[in-house]
Amino acid sequence: MLALASCGLPRTIAGNASQAPVSTATVTAPSTPTVTAPVPQTVYVPPPQTVTTAPAGVAASSQWYAQPGWITAQPWITITPAAGQTPCQWLHARGYSYAQAYAAWAQNGYPPSWSATNDGYPCQKSYGMQH
């Protein structure tokens, strides 16, 4: 039995197939929407920067990295610069911090060629003034 009385249409009696519909309706489905994918973009993410802080038990002065105990505790860095590249440029290009470059300078016997200004601080052209 089909009940249409709630829609304002007369009820159909079960078994009475001769009754014609009161009205007809045409339903049209909406068109399929067009989906456009976004244009891919190239995003440059800079490499992380190494931030070195004073180790535990060492005063956080501006030159904590110059203390002999800290320098000798650092792992040895085998420096292999390309032709025309200074050891400082090589260290900087590979992401070593200034403190690590200072330790490498000390471990290599404080070569004067590492200090462009001959003031006792290495790698100033690569890392800037650090004192």
Side-chain angles (χ1 to χ4, degrees), residues 30-62:
S31 63
T32 304
T34 303
V35 178
T36 305
V39 177
Q41 296 180 357
T42 301
V43 178
Y44 172 75
V45 178
Q49 290 187 339
T50 302
V51 177
T52 306
T53 59
V58 176
S61 72
S62 63

Side-chain angles (χ1 to χ4, degrees), residues 11-38:
R11 292 184 187 195
T12 307
I13 301 173
N16 186 355
S18 64
Q19 191 173 7
V22 176
S23 65
T24 58
T26 304
V27 178
T28 306
S31 63
T32 304
T34 303
V35 178
T36 305

Side-chain angles (χ1 to χ4, degrees), residues 70-78 96 100 103-104 107:
W70 187 82
I71 291 170
T72 56
Q74 299 308 300
W76 185 267
I77 301 170
T78 302
Y96 288 99
Q100 292 168 313
Q107 291 170 346

